[in-house]
Structure formats: structure tokens, C-alpha cells
Amino acid sequence: FLLTAHHEIERHKAELQAKNHLLEQSLDSKSQDLLSTNQQLIIQNHELHQFSYTVSHNLRGPIASMLGLISIHHFTTDPDEKEKVFMLMEKSAQTLETVIHDLNKIVDIRIDKFNINEKMNLEEEALIVVQSLNVFISENEVKVTLELLEKEIVSIKAYINSILYNLISNAIQYRSPDRKPVIHVSSHRT
């Protein structure tokens, strides 16, 4: 009887060890899944933070331009000057529309990572950005020059627009107080 009980205990022990081993494997697998999901969430959270920064940064210029022009419009009594300011407000609104369109495109790109590159004219994109920052450029007496040896590129248009906008607006914002700012934008193939 004692021998039978011992065999029964050994059999139960072996079964428990096998089940324990399966549980450990399952736990390892679940831990790996959880770690992978956590890493994906960290990446997505970082991308969301970057996108929110890009949105606020890129919208700030056209909105500030429109607010400045509205203020000028209120204080101007000359009808010709009011018309000119109104036309500039319309341009700022169109620039804002372009920025919003490009930001939407960034969202679409993140959803569909295929077919995202397109051929574009770098000079046209730079001029759009310079136009959107025109009020800041004028207020700070900034000289902007373009030397684009490579004008046609294949990239993500919204990203290129955002990069140019950030570089130029940051150059204006963080300019030296000791001299008039000059921003030189150039491109070449390497």
C-alpha cells in the first residue's frame, strides 16, 4: 500500500511539474507579448507627442499672422489700406488651410505607410513657407535667400513643409540680437 501511495504521489508530482512548466511557458509568452505591446505604446505615445508639438508649432505662425492683421485692420481708417490688409488676411487663411491639409496628410501617412513619397518642387515648398511666415519676416527685417541647386525631390510633402517651416521659424525666433537676420536655404545632391 505504501508503495502504491508513493507511485501515486510521484505521478501527481510529475503532473504538477508538467503543468507548472506549461504555466511558466505561458507566462513567459504573455510577458513577451506584454513587453512588445508596451514598447509599441511607448513609440505611439512619442509619435503622438511629436505630432501635437508639430500641430501647435505649425499653426502658431498663420494664426499669429491673422491676429496681427486683424489688429491692423481695426486701427486702419484708409479704405485702400483696409483692403490690402484684408487680402493679406485671406492669404494667411489660405496658408492656414495648407498647413491643416499637410497635417492631415501626416495623419494619413501614418495610417498608410505605403505610397507616401511624391515628387515635389522644393523651391515651391520653401516659398509657401516663407509666405506663411511673411509677417514675422517683415517685422524682424529678415532676409531670406534660396539657393536650391536640387529643386525636384521625392519625399513626403507634408514632412518637407513641416521641416522647412520649423527651420525657418526657429531661425527667426532664435536669431542673434546683434545683427539683422539672414536665412539662407540651400539644397544640393549628395
Side-chain angles (χ1 to χ4, degrees):
F1 174 75
L2 196 53
L3 191 59
T4 307
H6 180 65
H7 286 304
E8 189 66 24
I9 290 171
E10 288 297 319
R11 187 180 65 77
H12 282 297
K13 183 179 174 185
E15 284 178 13
L16 284 173
Q17 285 177 335
K19 287 180 180 178
N20 193 26
H21 183 70
L22 286 173
L23 283 173
E24 285 176 0
Q25 286 179 333
S26 178
L27 185 59
D28 285 346
S29 175
K30 296 292 183 194
S31 292
Q32 288 299 324
D33 290 346
L34 186 59
L35 182 64
S36 175
T37 301
N38 194 28
Q39 288 172 337
Q40 289 174 349
L41 285 172
I42 290 169
I43 291 168
Q44 287 177 345
N45 194 23
H46 177 72
E47 286 180 0
L48 183 60
H49 179 73
Q50 282 297 118
F51 183 71
S52 68
Y53 172 79
T54 300
V55 167
S56 66
H57 192 274
N58 289 12
L59 294 178
R60 193 175 299 133
I63 289 173
S65 175
M66 289 174 69
L67 291 172
L69 290 166
I70 288 169
S71 179
I72 292 170
H73 191 267
H74 286 305
F75 291 111
T76 302
T77 56
D78 179 17
D80 290 337
E81 185 70 21
K82 278 189 175 279
E83 181 63 28
K84 182 179 177 185
V85 169
F86 186 76
M87 288 173 58
L88 290 171
M89 282 192 289
E90 188 175 27
K91 267 189 174 180
S92 290
Q94 290 169 346
T95 299
L96 184 59
E97 172 66 23
T98 301
V99 169
I100 291 170
H101 174 75
D102 288 345
L103 291 171
N104 282 334
K105 201 166 187 180
I106 290 172
V107 171
D108 292 343
I109 287 166
R110 288 191 175 161
I111 292 168
D112 177 19
K113 297 206 176 194
F114 304 104
N115 304 321
I116 57 176
N117 289 327
E118 60 185 294
K119 192 180 286 189
M120 74 187 79
N121 186 304
L122 191 57
E123 184 174 32
E124 287 175 10
E125 294 306 309
L127 290 173
I128 288 169
V129 169
V130 168
Q131 178 61 40
S132 73
L133 293 168
N134 196 34
V135 171
F136 295 120
I137 290 170
S138 297
E139 284 176 356
N140 297 292
E141 300 178 27
V142 179
K143 179 180 179 185
V144 179
T145 61
L146 302 177
E147 184 185 350
L148 304 172
L149 302 177
E150 192 65 35
K151 291 183 182 175
E152 196 169 273
I153 63 171
V154 176
S155 187
I156 302 169
K157 192 173 185 176
Y159 283 1
I160 295 298
N161 188 284
S162 181
I163 290 167
L164 288 170
Y165 185 91
N166 288 327
L167 287 173
I168 294 172
S169 65
N170 285 344
I172 295 169
Q173 184 176 356
Y174 301 110
R175 68 193 177 280
S176 169
D178 302 333
R179 59 186 180 278
K180 287 191 177 184
V182 175
I183 299 173
H184 183 71
V185 181
S186 65
S187 70
H188 61 277
R189 182 179 295 274
T190 56

